[in-house]
Amino acid sequence: MTVDAIVVAITAIEEHHLAQLVDEFLELIGASRDLADPAIARLTPNPYPDDADAAGDFADATRDDLLDRRLSDARRVRASLGDLDHDSESFAGGTLSPKELVVPVELVDAWLRTLTALRLVIATRLGIVSDEDSGVNGSHDVYDWLGYRLELLIQAADEAGTGLIR
């Protein structure tokens, strides 16, 4: 049996907020990306922490391609999410009603990479260095929620037998 798509339950408000996060991510890594931003650095890891010259050469050779791939992935994810024609306050009673988020199998990898990249950006912004770090006043909730969404997508892909998760 061939699986064409993965279906994950999501509420309207969650989809709306995820779309907003992806929009902000697209802005961060878009054409006017600030290479001095620590979040950009987190998205483009340095395999040579003890060799500044090698690290610089590696970054120069790979950074743009890696960020362009992340940009392409995020655009594909954003295209699969709903429009933001309304603000989160104007949902007509259906904010917590579950709906199906359909992710075509060919987009699962883009979704996984984008959700992971979003978590890296949020971790950088909040100073999270391990999953055990906890925030005050719910500051880590979005980070945790993205991890939950990532886990659900992985489980759904695994259960569907897509062969994508090994």
Side-chain angles (χ1 to χ4, degrees):
M1 175 173 88
T2 302
V3 176
D4 295 330
I6 305 301
V7 179
V8 181
I10 193 168
T11 64
I13 194 73
E14 286 179 304
E15 182 181 35
H16 178 83
H17 288 308
L18 182 56
Q20 286 179 317
L21 286 170
V22 174
D23 285 346
E24 291 171 12
F25 183 67
L26 287 167
E27 186 176 323
L28 174 72
I29 63 172
S32 62
R33 59 181 73 133
D34 176 7
L35 298 181
D37 186 323
I40 296 287
R42 183 87 183 258
L43 293 171
T44 55
N46 174 7
Y48 306 106
D50 298 327
D51 186 341
D53 290 336
D57 290 344
F58 181 82
D60 290 342
T62 62
R63 181 189 313 111
D64 288 337
D65 288 341
L66 179 57
L67 291 174
D68 287 346
R69 186 185 82 182
R70 290 189 187 280
L71 185 63
S72 175
D73 285 344
R75 284 180 177 147
R76 295 174 80 192
V77 168
R78 184 61 184 93
S80 16
L81 294 167
D83 291 332
L84 293 177
D85 294 337
H86 48 274
D87 61 49
S88 59
E89 303 300 321
S90 68
F91 289 99
T95 58
L96 299 178
S97 299
K99 59 185 278 186
E100 291 183 342
L101 177 63
V102 179
V103 178
V105 169
E106 65 270 9
L107 294 183
V108 170
D109 285 340
W111 270 83
L112 295 173
R113 287 189 297 260
T114 298
L115 291 177
T116 300
L118 283 168
R119 288 188 87 216
L120 288 172
V121 168
I122 290 169
T124 301
R125 298 285 192 246
L126 295 176
I128 298 171
V129 292
S130 77
D131 282 337
E132 288 76 38
D133 290 346
S134 63
V136 294
N137 302 328
S139 64
H140 289 76
D141 290 352
V142 174
Y143 175 82
D144 291 338
W145 174 77
L146 284 169
Y148 167 73
R149 284 278 141 214
L150 187 60
E151 183 177 334
L152 287 179
L153 186 59
I154 290 169
Q155 287 175 351
D158 189 40
E159 289 170 7
T162 63
L164 294 171
I165 309 301
R166 291 177 187 56

